[in-house]
Amino acid sequence: MDLKSGYPFWAIKNGLMCAFPQLKANITCDVVVIGGGITGSLIADNLGKNGFDVVVVEQRDIAWGSSAASTALLQYEIDTHMADLARMYGEFHAVAAYKACAAAITDLRDLADELGDVDFGMRESLYFASKRSHKAELREEYDLRIKHEFDAEWLDAGGVKERFGFKAPCAILTKLAAQVDPYRMASKLLLRLAERGGRVFDRTVIHTIEPSEDKVTLQTPEGFKIQARHVVMAAGYASQKWLKQSVAKNRSSYAFITDPIEESALGPLASTMMWESARPYLYMRTTGNGRLLVGGDDDDIDIPARRDRRVDSKAKGLCKKVRKLFPDLQMRPAFSWGGTFAETKDGLPFFGEHPQYGPRVQFALAYGGNGISYSMIGADLLRANIEGRLHPLAGLFGFSRAG
C-alpha cells in the first residue's frame, strides 16, 4: 500500500535511523505487534515495559509508512466536537474521550523525556472559527469544556486580532497541546525495545493469521511461522485488508514545511499551533528549529498516482491560505508531501478484538487527526484486554459501537 507522496520532511531530516533483520526462522513469543510505525511502537513499548515478550513485525523499513508523513499535532481536541460526541454517546463518554486524550499528551511528554531528542515541545492550540456561522458551535463547545474543567480561553474577534494578528470571528485557546517528530520517536522506541530484549523484524510480510483457542499462528510468504499468545494488528491504514467490515474511509491529506524562519517573524506561530473550524481544515505548527509546517486541504483521492500529481498544487493552495491570514509572513515550501489517512464516522479510533478473529487478535486502528494521542491511550487499553482487565474506554473505542 503506497501511503505517501512527495518528500515527507521527517524522512528527509532523519534518513533511515535504524534497520532490523528480516524474519528467517520460526519463533514464539507472548505478543506479536504487526506494524512498526508510531502506533505499533507505542504499543510494543508499553507491553515490553510490563513484562511481555514482544515481537514487532513491519513490512517496510521502520516507521516508513504513514508515520513518516504524519504532521504530528498532539491535541486533546478530537476532530469531532465534544458536544457532538455527547449527542452521539452521552456526555459522560464524550468527556471521558477528551480527558483521555488530554492525559495522553502529558504521558507522551514523559515518554519523550525518557527517550530524548525527538523534537517534542509543549504548545498552546488555537481553534478558530472559519465563518461567522460557526461561532455558535464553538461557543457551545467552549461552554462544555469549561463545565468539565478543561483549561481553555474564549477569544472574540478582537481578542484573536490583538493576540494572534489575524481576523477570525472567535476562537478557543487551549493550553494543553504538543508536537513531536513521529518518525524519530517510533525509531527510538523500537531501538530501545530491542536493547531490552524485544525482537523487531522489518521488511517482513505477514501472509496469514490463524487464531485458535490458546494461541495465534502467523506465517510469512516464505513459510516462516510465529506462534504467539496474542496479536496486535497495528498496521495503520493497511489494517483494513484484514477485516471484512469496512470501519473507516481512506482519504488523502497534504502538507508542506518551510526553511527555518526567525522567531520574531513567526510571532505567535512560534508557540501556538492553529487550526480552523472548516472541514477539511487548515492547520499550522512549527518545529523545534523554527520551520513552519502547514497541512490540510484533504480530499477523497485514494489513488497514489493521482495523489502524487496533486502535491505541488495543494502546497501552493495551502500557502495561499496562510498568506491570507498572515500577509506579512515571508515563507515558501521547502518540502511538500501528501499521505493517506483514514476517517471514522465519529472521529474515534477502534481498539480491541473483532468478532471476525476472537479475543487473541486485537486491533489498533488509531484513525483520525488524533492518531498519536489515540495510540498512547490504545497502548494501555490493549494491554488491559490482553491481561483480562476492563478498561474504561473499551466500549467507546471498541468495534461494538459501529453497530
Side-chain angles (χ1 to χ4, degrees):
M1 190 176 181
D2 185 354
L3 295 171
K4 56 189 185 295
S5 306
Y7 298 94
F9 176 64
W10 313 122
I12 293 168
K13 172 197 169 200
N14 294 298
L16 191 62
M17 282 184 63
C18 53
F20 295 96
Q22 290 178 287
L23 181 65
K24 295 292 186 181
N26 297 334
I27 60 173
T28 62
C29 63
D30 291 334
V31 185
V32 176
V33 177
I34 302 175
I38 188 63
T39 298
S41 65
L42 287 168
I43 292 167
D45 177 71
N46 186 304
L47 291 167
K49 285 193 294 191
N50 284 279
F52 288 90
D53 176 20
V54 180
V55 166
V56 177
V57 179
E58 166 57 50
Q59 65 178 345
R60 301 177 179 83
D61 290 297
I62 291 303
W64 214 248
S66 58
S67 294
S70 170
T71 49
L73 281 74
L74 309 179
Q75 302 184 102
Y76 74 72
E77 298 162 288
I78 296 169
D79 287 351
T80 304
H81 288 173
M82 181 160 51
D84 292 329
L85 282 178
R87 283 185 277 272
M88 294 177 195
Y89 302 116
E91 193 168 313
F92 175 84
H93 292 297
V95 173
Y98 267 67
K99 287 195 171 179
C101 286
I105 293 172
T106 54
D107 289 343
L108 284 160
R109 177 199 62 199
D110 295 344
L111 183 58
D113 286 345
E114 287 178 22
L115 294 170
D117 190 24
V118 292
D119 196 24
F120 185 93
M122 297 300 296
R123 293 290 184 266
E124 293 186 340
S125 175
L126 187 77
Y127 181 41
F128 63 92
S130 308
K131 303 176 181 179
R132 285 192 180 91
S133 59
H134 294 177
K135 186 172 181 178
E137 290 179 35
L138 262 68
R139 186 69 206 197
E140 178 190 31
E141 180 68 10
Y142 170 77
D143 289 342
L144 187 58
R145 293 190 197 177
I146 294 302
K147 175 184 174 182
H148 292 284
E149 301 181 341
F150 287 87
D151 191 356
E153 181 180 354
W154 178 260
L155 299 179
D156 59 15
V160 176
K161 181 64 176 176
E162 179 183 355
R163 293 173 60 176
F164 294 95
F166 69 95
K167 293 181 179 180
C170 61
I172 301 172
L173 180 62
T174 296
K175 306 298 184 180
L176 181 63
Q179 59 197 42
V180 73
D181 178 335
Y183 174 79
R184 196 166 188 83
M185 176 173 259
S187 297
K188 294 193 77 169
L189 282 169
L190 293 181
L191 283 166
R192 186 173 76 171
L193 179 74
E195 289 171 359
R196 293 176 172 179
R199 288 166 286 176
V200 183
F201 300 96
D202 60 20
R203 296 158 294 123
T204 298
V205 175
I206 297 302
H207 182 59
T208 60
I209 300 174
E210 297 180 3
S212 65
E213 186 176 342
D214 60 348
K215 66 181 183 228
V216 186
T217 303
L218 300 86
Q219 185 166 303
T220 71
E222 298 79 17
F224 299 113
K225 293 182 179 181
I226 307 174
Q227 288 195 344
R229 290 167 51 214
H230 301 274
V231 171
V232 174
M233 176 61 68
Y237 309 119
S239 300
Q240 178 64 64
K241 76 174 186 177
W242 295 95
L243 289 172
K244 297 174 183 176
Q245 176 192 9
S246 178
V247 296
K249 182 179 180 182
N250 280 6
R251 305 188 69 198
S252 291
S253 188
Y254 303 86
F256 74 82
I257 196 166
T258 68
D259 288 323
I261 300 172
E262 291 291 334
E263 187 172 332
S264 58
L266 283 170
L269 282 167
S271 59
T272 306
M273 58 180 64
M274 302 183 188
W275 59 303
E276 64 173 334
S277 60
R279 297 293 187 268
Y281 54 83
L282 171 75
Y283 57 88
M284 298 160 278
R285 63 100 152 177
T286 53
T287 62
N289 67 344
R291 294 175 185 266
L292 179 63
L293 194 162
V294 179
D297 208 6
D298 309 342
D299 59 36
D300 292 328
I301 300 301
D302 189 31
I303 301 170
R306 291 179 65 187
R307 184 185 65 217
D308 293 350
R309 291 193 294 269
R310 292 183 172 210
V311 169
D312 287 344
S313 63
K314 291 282 190 176
K316 290 176 182 176
L318 289 168
C319 200
K320 185 177 179 181
K321 290 180 179 180
V322 177
R323 287 193 177 116
K324 186 176 180 180
L325 294 171
F326 301 101
D328 296 331
L329 181 61
Q330 299 298 311
M331 62 170 185
R332 65 178 181 83
F335 304 102
S336 53
W337 65 94
T340 295
F341 77 103
E343 283 185 331
T344 58
K345 290 180 180 179
D346 54 15
L348 297 179
F350 288 103
F351 290 108
E353 68 176 89
H354 190 278
Q356 183 179 331
Y357 290 94
R360 292 197 174 272
V361 179
Q362 303 282 326
F363 280 80
L365 309 183
Y367 294 160
N370 288 61
I372 299 175
S373 301
Y374 282 157
S375 297
M376 199 69 186
I377 300 166
D380 276 332
L381 192 159
L382 294 179
R383 180 164 61 85
N385 287 355
I386 289 169
E387 292 175 346
R389 296 181 289 108
L390 181 61
H391 190 280
L393 287 170
L396 184 63
F397 285 3
F399 287 97
S400 59
R401 80 169 193 277

